[in-house]
Amino acid sequence: MIRTLIFGAIAGYVGKKLYDEGKLTEFKNDVVARYSDAKAEIADSKAAQDVKSTLSTSPILNAAGTPARPLTN
């Protein structure tokens, strides 16, 4: 129990020093920026994948605008 109190006091002291120096705000801003970048990258890759799947599954249309018939022998 004494170790927990000592560790808590040290963590509180270090946390206060970091907060007073603005290091925690820098860390938060860095995390938010990285999260936003990752979210945008995932959205871009998902959009590209959706376009790719749409192109590969869309039917082939003839000049009249109706789906082409498969060739039979």
Side-chain angles (χ1 to χ4, degrees):
M1 184 170 153
I2 297 292
R3 284 184 282 182
T4 304
L5 291 174
I6 292 171
F7 178 76
I10 292 171
Y13 176 77
V14 171
K16 174 120 175 54
K17 291 287 271 184
L18 290 173
Y19 179 78
D20 289 343
E21 294 174 6
K23 300 286 185 181
L24 296 180
T25 303
E26 292 174 18
F27 176 75
K28 178 187 165 244
N29 292 341
D30 183 51
V31 169
V32 169
R34 287 178 188 224
Y35 175 75
S36 297
D37 291 344
K39 190 174 177 182
E41 187 175 312
I42 290 170
D44 290 345
S45 67
K46 184 173 167 87
Q49 186 179 21
D50 288 345
V51 168
K52 186 177 180 182
S53 67
T54 301
L55 292 176
S56 64
T57 60
S58 60
I60 299 172
L61 303 178
N62 60 18
T66 58
R69 295 167 123 177
L71 297 174
T72 56
N73 291 340

